[in-house]
Amino acid sequence: MNETIKFPSSGELIAFSIGEQEFCVDIMAVREIRGWTNTTPLPQSPNYVRGVINLRGAVLPVVDLGARLGMRPAEPTARSVIIVVRVKSQTVGLLVDAVCDILTVTEDMLQPTPDVTCDMVTRFVTGIIAVDGRMISLVSLDSVLPELEVEAA
Amino acid sequence: MDPFEEIKDTFFQECDEQLSELEAGLQAMKDGAGDDDTVNAVFRAVHSIKGGAGAFGLEDLVRFAHTFESVLDEVRGGRLAADADLLNLMLTSSDMLSDHVRAARGGEPADPERSQSLVQQLDARRLGGAAPAPQPAPAQGSRPGPVLTPGVSEDGGIEGFDFTPVVMAFDVDDEASQTEEPELPILAEPEVADARPSWQISFRPKAALYASANEPAVLLRELGRLGEMSVRLEAGALPLLEDMEPEESYLAWSIQLATEAGRDEIAEIFEFVEDDCDLGITLIGEASGEAEAAEPIEAFEPEGEFPAPEAAPDVEALIAMAQAMSEPELHVEEPAPQPAPAAALPAAPAAEQPAAAEKEAGGAAKAATQQSAQQSAQPTQTIRVELERVDRLIDLVGELVINQAMLAQRVFESGAARNSDVALGLDDLEHLTRDIQESVMAIRAQPVRSVFQRMPRLVRECAAMTGKQVRLEMEGEGTEVDKTVVERLSEPITHMIRNAIDHGLESTADRVAAGKAEEGVVTLSARHRSGRIVIEVADDGKGINRKVVRQKAIEKGLIEPDQQLSDEETDNLIFLPGFSTANEISDLSGRGVGMDVVRRSIQSLGGRIWITSRPGYGSTFTMSLPLTLAVLDGMVVTAGGQTLVTPLATILETLQPKQADLRRLGPNSWVIAIRDTYVPLIDVGCVLGYRDQPLRPGEGVALLIEAEGGGRAAFLVDAIQGQRQVVIKSLEQNYRKVEGIAAATILGDGRVALILDVDAILAKRKHDAPQTNTLMAAVG
């Protein structure tokens, strides 16, 4: 995993919910937040890739972040949200249930991820932030899209 | 990019232009269509390459260009006749020059031995041909050849930017002319210095001249080099100090210059500032006898295509002429800047010339008007823009169009009346967006000329190789098509022309026996037709021998011996892979990798190719291509509930499969009978994993598909929605390659639809015959 992106430089995070859990990403990676629109499914894709949508002329893949983290695939409703993020050189939409708020945090608020057995958690969650009794997991976006070689099989 | 590299990059781009200019010029000379302008254009092309290469220290290139240029200078000076041999040598040299440019660019190095041998041959021609007696240039007919004034020719054009005027010989009055022969040019006598024509030049810089960091002193100093000069400052406009605008220009100069140099040379000094100053160049003295002098112009009247610059003498035209000197193909001869003492020079005072010229040489004047019209059209201003920026713009406009369509739809859904203000406004918006789209697309459009102009050489080479007499006729070189399409046209056209000469045309003996002209004609034409470009390569040869083709196809197992084919179908058999009708393998057109290769490259451009043939009268290959690769003609279909786009170019036909036509083959494969041939039936929805159960036989619609590789199959889909042009969008940009999908597009309703990769689907089906449906989970 990418060790360098431990803590966002801006100190600002966008928090969102998937099911009962809360997650957050660096606000600097977020381009925009849109409502759910139906996707065009892609063949040959892992189940967490919902398909593609038209983002003002660009073809944007939408990743079901919950499914990517190993949870149940989402059943998107009109209230579901797509967070458009920039990952490396690509732009990706993340399907989540709702956006909660913007958090301003300092580095000392970031706790190491508790050692749980779930593979997906250790792979994508870089740390935990406790705010007002909420537990919010900081998600690393670097590998939300499937890698080519992994999927070659 | 490092700025130096950027400049170098520009240099190489210009090299490409110069090289094609060079080749076109040499070809024109060889075809007998060249005149002085052509020779000069050719010379300038090599000269510019050399100049640029020198600046970048590209020594090999400079050395070769220099040798080449020296020969061209001799030809230009009329001291070396450009006969067929020399032109062939020069054509080969232009290839070598292009090899050197490629090498300098970091490509494959040029063959040093060949280069050396060419240098020697060029030198040999130059030294051997540098006889003192000036010869008429080739292909000039009765027209006097260009000569150089000896004083200038010594260093003419070799060093730096100095310019050698091209002198046109005039058959002037007997007592004035030193010879009766129009072919023999009047040579200037530099020693008669006293009689140098005197020019009155007024030069009034505008503020912009200073703003672009030009310095009148430098220009005046340059001017002084041309001859004897007296300069007077006109400071009358200079205001009082307190009224003076520091950045305004108040000074002007009036100059008297006695020089052998022509107007061009004088105007050339001001070349870079001509827009930023008021410039007047007038010849003074030597004013008598202009009427007689103009007379010889009439001699050229029948050759209306030659410009008669004498009839375009006002200062602006002169400047335009000077400009034209740097323009390819548009070179205007200057009245002979001869120091001959006789008054019979055509160099009359500028103001009096138009009347005289018009009176004396109406036809020539017309030609000149034409010429100046061309001039104003020719130096169109251009900018170099990174392709990426243009493409981004094209993308955005594509979105604008979709967005506008969506907006219109929403407005009408909301109940607005067709004649309401909103609706009318939307109509205007639609027109505007369409206009913008067309204009933006036009930025990328280029004429096919760059490809076409390579063909005459190819034809000559092929003709020489086959021993046939061939004439190439070209039409529609100006037809424009997207840059990427132009770049990829060269290969298929080359192939088709080779094929036309090698297989299409009969040998000379056969032609004569058939009562045809000895010379075969190959026609290459381009034109626009219903939003596509249609390129045809036609020959007037023997046409396709259908018996032989059929026989061959049966031998090669491409068709069944008893298969019934229409004439058209038979003709088009030659596009099948592995089919080659030539009994012997010729050097020219391939070893059985003939027309199927052509077809594949055309198909990869989203185009189609077919042949029509009339036995005894020749064959015509027609290819139809989209004007751009950013847009695809597609068949919009539904499969497994999803909207998909199939490239129209791959679809041969659509049909409603009847249950009786379907046959099971193996455990879970189906084939469909289409007129006696069985092709595999592929359920697209299943292959892509959009559906578990295949359609039941008899359901859906089948598209008979032919892949680029030549394989056929019937794609079974739920329904056909219709044909549409779609804008191609990359999936890889934000995602990755998806097997079976070529790209995506955005439909009018704003949703993304996937474009099928027909070849991949055909290939995929072969690999994993039993369909697994692990993908179903992904489908929402």
Side-chain angles (χ1 to χ4, degrees), chain B residues 428-462:
Chain B
D428 289 346
L429 182 63
E430 184 180 345
H431 281 128
L432 276 175
T433 42
R434 296 278 164 203
D435 284 355
I436 294 176
Q437 191 178 33
E438 275 172 27
S439 315
V440 167
M441 291 302 234
I443 298 179
R444 279 186 60 108
Q446 287 193 328
V448 292
R449 185 174 294 112
S450 58
V451 174
F452 273 33
Q453 70 190 14
R454 287 181 228 160
M455 297 306 152
R457 176 190 211 117
L458 176 83
V459 167
R460 277 197 306 279
E461 283 171 3
C462 292

Side-chain angles (χ1 to χ4, degrees), chain B residues 10 13 17 380-387 389-390 443:
Chain B
T10 309
Q13 283 174 23
E17 288 159 21
T380 38
Q381 294 198 332
T382 56
I383 50 167
R384 288 179 197 276
V385 183
E386 273 169 60
L387 207 52
R389 294 193 194 183
V390 177
I443 298 179

Side-chain angles (χ1 to χ4, degrees), chain A residues 35-49:
Chain A
W36 167 254
T37 42
N38 275 316
T39 58
T40 300
L42 291 169
Q44 320 292 321
S45 295
N47 69 337
Y48 54 82
V49 176

Side-chain angles (χ1 to χ4, degrees), chain B residues 254-268:
Chain B
S254 96
I255 304 133
Q256 281 207 8
L257 176 68
T259 178
E260 290 157 21
R263 277 169 211 265
D264 279 343
E265 267 181 288
I266 296 169
E268 194 187 19

Side-chain angles (χ1 to χ4, degrees), chain B residues 86-137:
Chain B
L86 182 60
L87 280 166
N88 279 333
L89 177 61
M90 290 200 290
L91 279 164
T92 325
S93 301
S94 84
D95 281 351
M96 182 47 69
L97 190 66
S98 124
D99 286 357
H100 276 294
V101 169
R102 190 195 57 211
R105 213 169 193 166
E108 194 184 316
D111 180 352
E113 279 170 35
R114 240 187 105 219
S115 173
Q116 191 52 39
S117 123
L118 278 171
V119 165
Q120 280 164 6
Q121 288 179 53
L122 286 168
D123 278 341
R125 283 306 302 253
R126 180 167 61 91
L127 299 172
Q135 300 184 20

